[in-house]
């Protein structure tokens, strides 16, 4: 921001100079950034910097060395509990990548078979009811800029956090069934050349985490198409129907009901007018 830096110095925390600064500013972790001179003109965020007169201190680094214990904190460990017999189940390794993109330091990603002694112990201790499941060490609490935004996704146990909702497809331990495999049926009118390409909605559902296991195209001129229009009271096309497995995605229900409705456990998209696209009224 065109701020002129007149001098810059890096000092080791064990040096005499650093020890004086640690005592002066009551520092309990490092690294720390200390800014002096013209601090009042920088417009620094008081939630990020500690303002001390004409000095600004950034003392919220993660990971960091805790000066009282001499231990490094903020290195997150991940344990994925998986069922090796479930060939359809998803992998959760991409969640580790997503956490790293949020500047979270992932120290270790461990794969633990569900049928191993460790796996059985973790399943019991953390009340896991579906596989795969990801356990996150409590070091993640150190990431103050993001944890409050994501903690609602977790259940807290003694040693780990675990995600409340499964990532599909996943295997329900109690029933042994693979859940979350949704089939999509496109209802179209092949004679409407200007109509919206309803297949574009598929990626929108996928961005919400919906896994698709198959798709079907049905024209309204066919016997099946006319039957679907009647059964689901479809008044505008093109549209789509999602199979009853969409009910596995419990956290999406309110979002889905805002643009469609559930009929006989299946889901029908209805809000074509909200898309600002060309469609037909039936």
């Amino acid at each position: 921001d065109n701020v002129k830096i007149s001098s810059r110095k890096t000092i080791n925390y064990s040096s005499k100079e650093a020890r004086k600064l640690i005592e002066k500013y009551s520092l309990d972790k490092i690294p720390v950034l200390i800014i002096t001179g013209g601090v009042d003109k920088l417009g620094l965020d008081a939630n990020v910097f500690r303002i001390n007169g004409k000095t600004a201190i950034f003392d919220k680094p993660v990971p960091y060395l805790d000066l009282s214990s001499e231990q490094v904190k903020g290195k997150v460990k991940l344990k994925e509990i998986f069922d090796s017999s479930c060939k359809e189940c998803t992998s959760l390794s991409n969640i580790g990548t997503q956490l790293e993109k949020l500047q979270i330091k992932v120290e270790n990603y461990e794969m633990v078979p569900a049928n191993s002694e460790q796996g059985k112990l973790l399943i019991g201790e953390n009340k896991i009811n579906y596989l795969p499941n990801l356990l996150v060490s409590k070091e993640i609490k150190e990431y103050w800029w993001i944890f409050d935004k994501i903690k609602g996704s977790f259940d807290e146990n003694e040693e780990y956090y675990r995600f409340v909702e499964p990532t599909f497809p996943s295997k329900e331990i109690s029933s042994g069934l693979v859940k979350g495999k949704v089939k999509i049926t496109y209802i179209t009118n092949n004679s409407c050349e200007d109509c919206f390409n309803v297949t574009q909605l598929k990626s929108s559902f996928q961005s919400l985490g919906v896994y698709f296991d198959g798709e079907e195209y049905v024209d309204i001129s066919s016997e099946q198409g006319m039957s679907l229009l009647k059964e689901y009271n479809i008044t505008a096309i093109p549209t789509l129907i999602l199979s009853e497995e969409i009910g596995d995605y419990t956290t999406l229900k309110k979002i889905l009901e805002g643009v469609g409705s559930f009929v006989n456990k299946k889901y029908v998209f209805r809000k074509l007018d909200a898309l600002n696209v060309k469609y037909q009224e039936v």
Side-chain angles (χ1 to χ4, degrees):
D1 296 327
N2 296 318
V3 175
K4 183 179 180 181
I5 299 175
S6 60
S7 64
R8 186 196 306 261
K9 181 189 293 187
T10 302
I11 56 177
N12 190 287
Y13 82 104
S14 61
S15 67
K16 287 184 178 180
E17 183 180 3
R19 290 297 173 183
K20 288 181 180 179
L21 292 172
I22 289 170
E23 183 177 354
K24 179 179 180 180
Y25 296 114
S26 302
L27 305 179
D28 57 8
K29 63 184 71 170
I30 57 135
V32 168
L33 177 67
I34 301 172
I35 306 171
T36 58
V39 167
D40 57 326
K41 299 177 182 178
L42 296 179
L44 298 175
D45 188 343
N47 293 317
V48 178
F49 289 87
R50 179 156 57 96
I51 310 299
N52 189 327
K54 295 183 179 181
T55 303
I57 302 168
F58 176 74
D59 56 359
K60 296 182 177 182
V62 190
Y64 64 88
L65 177 68
D66 181 78
L67 294 178
S68 61
S69 66
E70 290 286 323
Q71 293 182 343
V72 177
K73 297 187 177 182
K75 295 192 291 184
V76 176
K77 296 181 177 65
L78 304 176
K79 291 181 184 288
E80 180 179 336
I81 320 300
F82 71 99
D83 185 341
S84 58
S85 67
C86 183
K87 305 304 179 184
E88 298 173 288
C89 289
T90 189
S91 169
L92 302 180
S93 59
N94 64 315
I95 296 180
T97 303
Q98 291 171 12
L99 292 176
E100 288 178 328
K101 287 181 179 179
L102 295 172
Q103 306 304 313
I104 294 172
K105 174 67 174 178
V106 177
E107 180 185 33
N108 185 46
Y109 194 106
E110 183 180 356
M111 300 289 292
V112 181
N115 60 358
S116 67
E117 186 174 337
Q118 182 189 10
K120 293 175 182 177
L121 184 64
L122 290 171
I123 288 171
E125 289 178 344
N126 295 279
K127 301 177 182 178
I128 292 173
N129 53 25
Y130 58 86
L131 297 169
N133 209 302
L134 190 66
L135 300 178
V136 184
S137 68
K138 292 194 174 180
E139 295 286 319
I140 199 168
K141 290 194 297 186
E142 300 288 351
Y143 292 84
W144 50 272
W145 63 88
I146 192 66
F147 183 70
D148 282 346
K149 297 177 182 178
I150 64 176
K151 66 180 180 181
S153 303
F154 295 128
D155 263 345
E156 182 177 3
N157 293 297
E158 187 173 343
E159 190 175 353
Y160 297 98
Y161 289 104
R162 68 171 176 81
F163 284 93
V164 176
E165 292 296 322
T167 300
F168 295 108
S170 62
K171 186 175 183 178
E172 187 177 56
I173 295 176
S174 60
S175 66
L177 297 176
V178 178
K179 299 279 191 173
K181 299 192 299 177
V182 179
K183 292 180 173 58
I184 185 169
T185 301
Y186 301 108
I187 314 296
T188 61
N189 182 356
N190 291 336
S191 65
C192 182
E193 296 180 356
D194 293 331
C195 281
F196 168 63
N197 181 1
V198 71
T199 62
Q200 294 178 24
L201 289 177
K202 181 180 179 180
S203 60
S204 299
F205 287 103
Q206 288 174 320
S207 68
L208 294 173
V210 178
Y211 175 84
F212 289 108
D213 188 44
E215 53 189 13
E216 180 183 13
Y217 297 82
V218 178
D219 190 84
I220 60 168
S221 62
S222 67
E223 184 177 344
Q224 181 185 5
M226 290 186 286
S227 176
L228 290 174
L229 291 182
K230 182 177 180 181
E231 180 179 359
Y232 296 100
N233 190 29
I234 294 172
T235 59
I237 56 165
T239 190
L240 55 80
I241 299 173
L242 303 182
S243 64
E244 63 183 72
E245 286 77 12
I246 191 64
D248 295 333
Y249 298 78
T250 54
T251 58
L252 296 183
K253 187 172 183 181
K254 287 186 177 181
I255 296 175
L256 296 176
E257 287 178 334
V259 291
S261 62
F262 288 88
V263 181
N264 300 330
K265 295 184 178 181
K266 296 185 179 181
Y267 174 77
V268 183
F269 183 84
R270 300 191 187 277
K271 294 288 186 177
L272 286 165
D273 53 341
L275 299 178
N276 194 28
V277 295
K278 292 184 177 181
Y279 65 92
Q280 286 183 324
E281 292 183 349
V282 179

